[in-house]
Amino acid sequence: MSLLPGAEPYRHRGGPVGVLLCHGFTGSPQSLRPWAEDLARAGYTVGLPVLPGHGTRWQDMQLTRWEDWYAEVERELLALAEQCERVFIFGLSMGGGLALRLASVHGPGIAGLVLVNPSVRSDNPASVILPVLRHLVPSVPGVANDIARPGADELAYDRTPLHAAWSLARLWKDVQARLPRVTQPVLLFRSPQDHVVSAANSELVLARISSTDVTERLCQRSYHVATLDHDAGEIFAAAQDFIRRLAPAHAAGVIPVKSDHHQG
């Protein structure tokens, strides 16, 4: 199945600092493409893969599980690690959960995490019947396009495939158990007006990780997909400050470029 226009992966060979970007459940690289391009313009090496079953049609997700999505971002991480001296991981929503799992597994190999409205737990009481419901109903209405900025559009599925949703719930349990193993510096962005992921997700992350260098920032003007929303420019700028602070020697000579996060 061919990718939808705009859902393509994005890669850029830059300097010795690499950034892996992980998109969310039922989403695509399009939700992080402006961020990836901003980092590329600043001289960083960037990897933004498309997760298996994503970027085509929701039915394709039914054949994939969280292990497939994780394996793809881990492959990208290892490729970046071969090219770069320091690697950071940025994640949106479920991509934040994948980033946290990568950090728990690869330890010192990860220089830091930037998480935007990370998803690590279920907010739906009906999730308890998901193991049975997924065999009766193939999908339910999707959660895409939670964006406050007029004219912004997220390229994501309009249906949520329930086999994949069941697997996502298993990923959440795995990530929750691993949170104490996360020791890297963390910059976490949370939108108070997020209609997809509750504040309890970020609270859980901040309460359980073992990191001592932790900053939480609020995206007051944005909804869930803050990387395409009003606060995108602030997220991009703060993320570059985060990199420069943690990898000053490696980032030397990398010139920050003013963000242009508007959709084309």
Side-chain angles (χ1 to χ4, degrees):
M1 196 74 186
S2 60
L3 289 172
L4 296 168
E8 302 86 4
Y10 177 83
R11 293 175 180 89
H12 173 79
R13 184 67 180 263
V17 174
V19 182
L20 166 64
L21 296 101
C22 308
H23 71 74
F25 182 74
T26 73
S28 74
Q30 179 262 358
S31 62
L32 297 177
R33 181 67 177 258
W35 199 1
E37 292 176 343
D38 181 74
L39 291 161
R41 285 194 298 270
Y44 298 106
T45 295
V46 180
L48 170 54
V50 57
L51 302 180
H54 292 70
T56 54
R57 54 183 197 137
W58 68 261
Q59 290 89 342
D60 294 330
M61 271 195 77
Q62 293 284 52
L63 307 176
T64 65
R65 297 293 180 266
W66 77 259
E67 292 89 347
D68 303 312
W69 315 328
Y70 178 78
E72 182 63 27
V73 293
E74 188 169 51
R75 274 193 295 270
E76 194 78 23
L77 172 65
L78 295 175
L80 283 169
E82 288 185 358
Q83 303 172 41
C84 303
E85 297 173 25
R86 303 293 299 277
V87 179
F88 292 80
I89 308 178
F90 296 178
L92 167 67
S93 195
M94 179 188 76
L98 293 172
L100 287 160
R101 192 181 198 279
L102 286 169
S104 75
V105 171
H106 292 274
I110 310 303
L113 304 176
V114 179
L115 310 173
V116 180
N117 294 318
S119 168
V120 296
R121 50 158 282 170
S122 174
D123 296 316
N124 188 346
S127 62
V128 294
I129 63 171
L130 197 53
V132 174
L133 187 64
R134 69 190 179 101
H135 294 293
L136 306 175
V137 180
S139 69
V140 295
V143 295
N145 255 333
D146 189 35
I147 305 173
R149 185 165 69 86
D153 188 50
E154 180 191 15
L155 182 60
Y157 296 147
D158 60 0
R159 304 291 299 179
T160 297
L162 292 190
H163 283 311
W166 168 78
S167 191
L168 174 61
R170 299 181 71 187
L171 170 64
W172 283 331
K173 290 182 180 179
D174 180 90
V175 171
Q176 288 174 24
R178 291 176 171 274
L179 286 175
R181 303 184 198 177
V182 175
T183 59
Q184 298 87 347
V186 172
L187 173 59
L188 187 150
F189 291 92
R190 179 174 64 81
S191 301
Q193 297 186 78
D194 188 330
H195 306 99
V196 177
V197 171
S198 74
N201 286 263
S202 291
E203 291 167 2
L204 181 62
V205 170
L206 296 175
R208 292 197 185 174
I209 59 175
S210 299
S211 309
T212 55
D213 183 346
V214 180
T215 303
E216 180 184 27
R217 293 182 57 165
L218 299 182
C219 298
Q220 298 284 8
R221 302 177 298 152
S222 301
Y223 295 164
H224 181 62
V225 192
T227 51
L228 297 179
D229 218 326
H230 291 296
D231 294 291
E234 286 75 10
I235 293 172
F236 300 170
Q240 288 200 33
D241 288 343
F242 182 74
I243 293 174
R244 286 192 294 270
R245 177 171 68 82
L246 294 170
H250 300 287
V254 174
I255 302 172
V257 179
K258 185 177 180 182
S259 301
D260 177 13
H261 61 274
H262 296 288
Q263 288 297 96

